Amino acid sequence: MAKRSVADSTPVPLSDATAALTIAERRTLGRRLRQKVPRESHASWSAPADRADPVQILIDCGKSRVQKLLPVRYARMMESPFAFLRGAAAGMVADLARMPTTGIRVQACGDCHLLNFGVYSSPEGRAIFDINDFDETLPAPFEWDVKRLAASIVLAGRHAALPERTSARAARAAVRAYREKLADLARLDPIAAWNSRVDVLDIIAAQDDQKLRDREMQRITQSAAAMPAYQDFPRLAGMANGAWRIKDNPPLIFHFDDLGEGERGISGHEVFARYRETLPEERRVLFDRYRQVDCAFKVVGVGSVGTFCAVGLFMTPDEAPLFLQIKEAQASVLAAYAGASAYANQGQRVVVGQRVMQAASDVFLGWTDDGPENRHFYIRQLKDRKLASVGQMMERDALRFYAELCGTTLARAHARSGDPALISGYLGSSEAFDAAVQEFAVEYADQSEHDHRRLAEAVRSGRVEANLNLHKPLVPATSGTAG
């Protein structure tokens, strides 16, 4: 089977062509699309004979990354099939692009799995639940995000040893929540839809299950997910030779001297000077109250491991701290199939996508580059803690709740850039699309388990190296790591 691109599908008129149409007329356009791309066509997945080697895709993606960190990336992906999926966005989009495609485009997350959602504080101090990773964001068909989210839910349920039926039903519940939220948003005027938010405390309070309500409310209120890193300043920084320095915590945080031969840090001042110019003028006033005092490398995530990521420490003369995270932005994995970004700087691509999709974005969000090296970055405040681990979240009664929350949130994010009436018309009021994506999610979870075993075989054979600790010798994987 030849590689299929979005351009091969029959496109639906985009917003410019439908702006003069009513909500009802745009819904009708969406319903008509079912004749060309039936909702049931999203269901099954089977690997074609000419499917690319998933390990080779990872190797190719790693060529532009910090080579010393690639063993950490592979080791983190080895932890489970769910962890593998988190790091395999490039492989999955190649598979999705070969399936029937609606052509209804939104600002897509591009790496939409359930651990790329989280809690943070709005400017008013409310706990907002939203997408929190935009490294791969790009305009693309809406269903790519939905399918990746559903597959991640099945794999997370399996990772938590939940019954298969529970995991599959949770994936279906996420898709249903997405469909129903889009139907609600399609009825609103554009401003109301744009300003909608997912207030996680209100959603928890509305749950019928008292135990679930109490546990999730406690988890959110006690979580440090919404805590800015400056409130945890003593843990992250300390005095050294009379100056404040970021504390080394290898292999997660270390200064650039340990980055590896041939790898580059950043000059800092010039990079942040260019970043400053991308901030709105009123944000520059706030940023200018701080001065940079240190910068250190930070290893983050699974999919991001190997890209350049650092933490900058800034302080006022009165030693009030500000931590900014600098992340390298490379071309989105969606670009080969959905089209290249409109922005020359990939950091700008990330920032614009985040501002479009998120209900409330970081005031320090901006982009920059390092000049002659031509590396692109985006910058935001460091949020150094997560809401919870998969194991903590995925109790049987909580998986469905969390899945529905993610589905609702994804719908809100897509409605800001896409046409909710058009998408809602295509999805309809029945569960046809929900059932199709549930079937796909289970079959693609099986595929991810197979690909995870392929990675384990590559580690055992020495094709790739997996090592969680950069400062210790590699411990070869055993057969028990695959599964």
Side-chain angles (χ1 to χ4, degrees):
M1 181 186 294
K3 181 174 80 172
R4 179 185 177 90
S5 71
V6 174
D8 296 329
S9 64
T10 302
V12 174
L14 299 179
S15 57
D16 287 347
T18 60
L21 301 180
T22 65
I23 292 173
E25 289 169 334
R26 301 199 312 276
R27 282 186 183 274
T28 299
L29 281 179
R31 284 195 294 272
R32 288 175 182 169
L33 179 61
R34 301 177 202 166
Q35 300 171 12
K36 298 177 180 178
V37 187
R39 292 169 293 178
E40 295 76 11
S41 67
H42 298 285
S44 60
W45 163 259
S46 60
D50 63 345
R51 182 175 183 255
D53 175 9
V55 177
Q56 188 58 49
I57 292 176
L58 295 175
I59 293 172
D60 291 342
C61 289
K63 291 177 180 178
S64 62
R65 300 189 177 210
V66 178
Q67 298 303 296
K68 182 177 180 179
L69 297 178
L70 292 181
V72 177
R73 171 171 163 80
Y74 294 132
R76 290 185 176 182
M77 293 181 69
M78 283 283 292
E79 291 176 358
S80 69
F82 175 67
F84 178 89
L85 181 82
R86 290 176 61 192
M92 187 169 186
V93 71
D95 292 332
L96 291 171
R98 301 181 72 145
M99 298 184 69
T101 305
T102 63
I104 305 179
R105 290 162 70 90
V106 298
Q107 185 72 37
C109 168
D111 188 15
C112 191
H113 59 75
L114 82 174
L115 285 190
N116 275 345
F117 292 76
V119 179
Y120 63 95
S121 290
S122 72
E124 301 80 24
R126 294 291 294 175
I128 294 176
F129 188 86
D130 213 333
I131 302 170
N132 61 13
D133 189 295
F134 300 88
D135 287 3
E136 309 298 345
T137 186
L138 200 70
F142 78 91
E143 67 269 19
W144 290 2
D145 275 353
V146 178
K147 291 178 178 179
R148 183 161 171 79
L149 173 60
S152 78
I153 292 168
V154 174
L155 284 169
R158 291 179 182 179
H159 180 66
L162 298 181
E164 181 71 5
R165 192 175 185 182
T166 299
S167 302
R169 286 183 171 178
R172 183 166 180 156
V175 183
R176 182 187 305 114
Y178 176 88
R179 175 174 53 82
E180 292 176 347
K181 182 63 173 179
L182 267 172
D184 291 341
L185 292 169
R187 301 183 186 101
L188 301 179
D189 65 73
I191 293 177
W194 179 272
N195 288 332
S196 66
R197 296 182 177 185
V198 177
D199 190 313
V200 67
L201 297 181
D202 288 346
I203 290 177
I204 293 172
Q207 298 301 304
D208 294 331
D209 187 328
Q210 180 68 43
K211 290 184 178 179
L212 177 65
R213 280 204 313 272
D214 292 345
R215 186 182 65 243
E216 295 303 317
M217 191 69 75
Q218 183 180 32
R219 178 177 291 158
I220 294 298
T221 54
Q222 292 183 351
S223 169
M227 180 190 293
Y230 67 78
Q231 292 185 2
D232 206 14
F233 174 66
R235 186 177 66 87
L236 297 176
M239 292 292 291
N241 299 321
W244 285 104
R245 295 269 290 173
I246 296 169
K247 293 179 181 178
D248 286 319
N249 182 25
L252 300 179
I253 301 176
F254 52 88
H255 283 78
F256 298 123
D257 294 344
D258 297 326
L259 193 55
E261 185 178 352
E263 303 291 356
R264 303 97 68 202
I266 58 173
S267 61
H269 295 289
E270 292 183 5
V271 168
F272 284 109
R274 283 189 286 272
Y275 153 75
R276 178 186 180 278
E277 296 306 309
T278 71
L279 293 173
E281 289 190 27
E282 71 277 7
R283 309 286 171 83
R284 295 179 205 169
V285 173
L286 178 59
F287 178 68
D288 287 346
R289 297 178 186 270
Y290 296 85
R291 293 292 181 270
Q292 182 185 351
V293 298
D294 196 17
C295 195
F297 200 92
K298 181 175 173 62
V299 180
V300 295
V302 175
S304 297
V305 176
T307 56
F308 185 96
C309 183
V311 179
L313 171 59
F314 294 74
M315 302 190 78
T316 68
D318 298 302
E319 298 188 337
L322 168 67
F323 288 95
L324 293 181
Q325 185 177 50
I326 308 102
K327 287 193 72 177
E328 183 179 4
Q330 299 182 348
S332 168
V333 297
L334 302 182
Y337 308 95
S341 171
Y343 302 100
N345 186 303
Q346 296 297 325
Q348 185 177 8
R349 168 186 62 78
V350 173
V351 169
V352 172
Q354 181 168 346
R355 287 175 176 166
V356 169
M357 296 186 75
Q358 270 193 333
S361 295
D362 187 347
V363 297
F364 286 103
L365 187 63
W367 67 92
T368 187
D369 62 72
D370 61 355
E373 298 287 353
N374 199 33
R375 289 181 300 176
H376 302 159
F377 306 95
Y378 67 94
I379 295 176
R380 64 187 179 190
Q381 286 189 86
L382 175 66
K383 295 178 176 63
D384 203 43
R385 295 184 180 178
K386 298 292 185 181
L387 171 63
S389 69
V390 178
Q392 291 173 310
M393 286 184 210
M394 297 303 119
E395 299 98 342
R396 183 181 304 201
D397 56 344
L399 176 57
R400 180 165 177 156
F401 163 75
Y402 190 64
E404 290 176 341
L405 191 58
C406 291
T408 298
T409 300
L410 182 61
R412 185 213 55 76
H414 281 178
R416 286 167 68 99
S417 62
D419 186 335
L422 194 64
I423 301 173
S424 182
Y426 177 76
L427 298 179
S429 58
S430 76
E431 295 197 0
F433 184 75
D434 314 354
V437 175
Q438 176 188 348
E439 180 179 337
F440 165 83
V442 171
E443 293 180 357
Y444 202 84
D446 294 341
Q447 180 70 65
S448 295
E449 290 180 343
H450 173 77
D451 293 346
H452 176 255
R453 290 192 291 271
R454 294 277 295 273
L455 177 61
E457 292 166 2
V459 172
R460 287 194 296 272
S461 69
R463 184 181 176 192
V464 298
E465 177 183 340
N467 181 11
L468 280 174
N469 195 329
L470 299 176
H471 302 277
K472 291 184 179 179
L474 169 68
V475 177
T478 65
S479 59
T481 58

